[in-house]
């Protein structure tokens, strides 16, 4: 009979987003600065916390706050000992069964065990879909090769797999993890979620502020980075219960930290961002918050892999053009500056708008008929390449025949009427600049009067990305 050796309890953050999120959760729970500093003793303590919380949730009554954590576990490990419908209701028996999942690996020194699926360390245990999140579903009986019992997983990664919900943004049916090119952002995201997990286990999901979304927590984590740091952030949202599983991936651009620094450090785009947040805020008839503006604004900074996401520029375009008289000069300038800053910093655009915007504004102001009618005509074609080209041609001839100077020609139009990358964004920015010019010139397109709103002025002066009824607390998690 051969002797066995115990594999040391070590942990590393890998390139797998779920393992990495779990590893950061372990580090936060153990009060270490990074996963690589976690010791075997730390793993013992974290495993004990994970087991204790899982047992408490598994035996909780369905109408209690503690049961909400069971819903989280079920979304990740639907067939595990803690979530299965036939799980033991005896807390001691369940604790013993769960603790066995995280015992130190016993590896035969001759055979040497197997390399861990995630980190490559020697693993003495193999796991399957009942204990690994997003590894197969109930739709597939087995995707492993014949005679292969499961995936080798070392002790550190096994504990990370079950610490995952602590460092993730969780709901009753889904989990969101953050992957970022800078580890500091991942730690901040995990730390806030560890704190939030404690509140959910004590008070249930009812303790979460209204309208809260993971994008805001992710953006705040990236915002803390230096402005010269190029760091894209990716959010992976999924569920893997015994219904149809799904996965949704959204990403930011690498220049997000710089964009946020520019907005934060300059009064005009900062005012524009607060106006955007306020416009996205929704309250019920009772005055209670239903949709959080800061959370929804942060969501606009992420782009979905499948293309099904709202564009920040498109949202600003819709905000600026419901009615051309809907904003005073200062607020329109602030929203326009925000749009131009996003185009420059995030999309890498340097649009040359002034000649064509001046041409359109001159035509609206001085062409035949009323300015209101010509503005409506421009609005109908502003985002269509072909019809915009026809209008520009008409405007050029009209102004030339009237003896007015025309500073823009067909070469200036190319960015807006040719089917090329970013042409759509150029047309939206052009429309924003045209309306801004008309307002600056005092061209009358409506009889409505815009009055100052003292309450809006007070709210606009508040910091960006700060939900009014939310408290994020400190950045450290607790065991």
């Amino acid at each position: 009979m051969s002797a066995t050796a115990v594999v040391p309890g070590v942990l590393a953050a890998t390139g797998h987003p779920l393992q990495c999120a779990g590893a950061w959760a372990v580090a936060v729970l153990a009060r270490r600065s990074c996963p690589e500093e976690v010791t075997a003793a730390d793993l013992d303590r974290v495993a004990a916390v994970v087991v204790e919380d899982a047992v408490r949730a598994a035996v909780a009554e369905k109408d209690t706050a503690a049961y909400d954590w069971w819903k989280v576990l079920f979304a990740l490990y639907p067939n595990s000992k803690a979530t299965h419908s036939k799980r033991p209701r005896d807390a001691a028996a369940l604790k013993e069964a769960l603790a066995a999942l995280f015992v130190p690996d016993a590896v035969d020194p001759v055979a040497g065990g197997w390399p861990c699926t995630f980190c490559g360390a020697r693993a003495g245990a193999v796991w399957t879909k009942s204990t690994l999140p997003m590894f197969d579903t109930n739709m597939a009986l087995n995707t492993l090769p014949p005679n292969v019992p499961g995936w080798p997983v070392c002790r550190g990664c096994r504990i990370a797999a079950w610490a995952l919900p602590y460092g993730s943004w969780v709901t009753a049916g889904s989990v969101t993890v953050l992957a970022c090119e800078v580890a500091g952002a991942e730690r901040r995201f995990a730390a806030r979620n560890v704190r939030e997990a404690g509140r959910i286990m004590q008070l249930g999901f009812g303790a979460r502020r209204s309208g809260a979304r993971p994008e805001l927590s992710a953006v705040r984590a990236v915002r803390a980075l230096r402005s010269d740091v190029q760091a894209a952030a990716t959010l992976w949202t999924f569920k893997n219960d015994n219904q149809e599983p799904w996965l949704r991936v959204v990403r930011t651009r690498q220049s997000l930290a710089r964009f946020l620094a520019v907005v934060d450090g300059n009064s005009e785009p900062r005012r524009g961002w607060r106006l955007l947040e306020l416009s996205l805020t929704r309250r019920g008839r009772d005055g209670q918050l239903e949709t959080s503006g800061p959370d929804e604004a942060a969501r606009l900074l992420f782009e979905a892999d499948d293309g099904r996401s709202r564009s920040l520029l498109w949202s600003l375009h819709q905000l600026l053009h419901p009615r051309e008289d809907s904003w005073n000069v200062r607020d329109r300038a602030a929203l326009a500056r925000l749009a131009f800053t996003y185009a420059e910093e995030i999309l890498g655009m340097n649009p040359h708008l002034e000649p064509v915007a001046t041409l359109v504004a001159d035509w609206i102001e001085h062409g035949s008929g009323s300015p209101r009618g010509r503005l409506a005509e421009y609005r109908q074609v502003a985002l269509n390449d072909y019809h915009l080209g026809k209008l520009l041609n008409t405007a050029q001839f009209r102004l030339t025949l009237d003896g007015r100077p025309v500073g823009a020609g067909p070469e200036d139009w190319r960015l807006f009427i040719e089917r090329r990358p970013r042409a759509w964004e150029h047309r939206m920015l052009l429309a924003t600049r045209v309306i801004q010019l008309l307002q600056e010139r005092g061209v009358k397109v409506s009889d409505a009067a815009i009055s100052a709103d003292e309450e809006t002025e007070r709210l606009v002066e508040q910091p960006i990305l700060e939900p009014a009824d939310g408290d994020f607390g400190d950045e450290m998690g607790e065991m």
Side-chain angles (χ1 to χ4, degrees), residues 403-461:
R404 295 187 178 278
V406 178
E411 282 301 312
D412 298 301
W413 308 350
R414 292 169 64 89
L415 285 173
F416 309 97
I417 64 175
E418 289 187 352
R419 296 189 176 181
R420 59 169 62 188
R422 300 294 176 211
W424 177 268
E425 288 85 352
H426 274 92
R427 289 192 289 272
M428 284 193 286
L429 293 173
L430 176 66
T432 295
R433 183 57 183 147
V434 167
I435 303 302
Q436 194 177 5
L437 281 175
L438 293 174
Q439 199 164 16
E440 290 172 356
R441 295 179 184 185
V443 177
K444 194 76 170 174
V445 295
S446 171
D447 296 328
I450 303 174
S451 58
D453 185 339
E454 292 184 3
E455 177 63 11
T456 299
E457 286 300 314
R458 182 185 70 81
L459 293 173
V460 164
E461 293 305 314

Side-chain angles (χ1 to χ4, degrees), residues 12 16 27 35 68 79 126 227 229 245 311 368 379:
H16 192 290
D68 281 356
N79 301 311
V126 291
S227 62
V229 172
S311 158
S368 57
R379 183 179 180 181

Side-chain angles (χ1 to χ4, degrees), residues 281-330:
T281 301
R282 299 287 181 270
R283 294 186 180 275
R285 293 183 179 180
D286 58 357
Q288 295 298 309
L289 185 69
E290 293 182 348
T291 303
S292 165
D295 286 86
E296 293 300 311
R299 189 181 182 185
L300 296 174
L301 295 171
F302 288 82
E303 303 171 31
D305 278 5
D306 60 7
R308 296 180 182 179
S309 56
R310 290 186 296 165
S311 158
L312 178 64
L313 279 187
W314 173 244
S315 297
L316 288 171
H317 176 81
Q318 290 183 307
L319 189 60
L320 282 164
H321 300 282
R323 295 196 323 271
E324 282 63 32
D325 63 328
S326 55
W327 299 97
N328 59 44
V329 174
R330 183 184 182 189

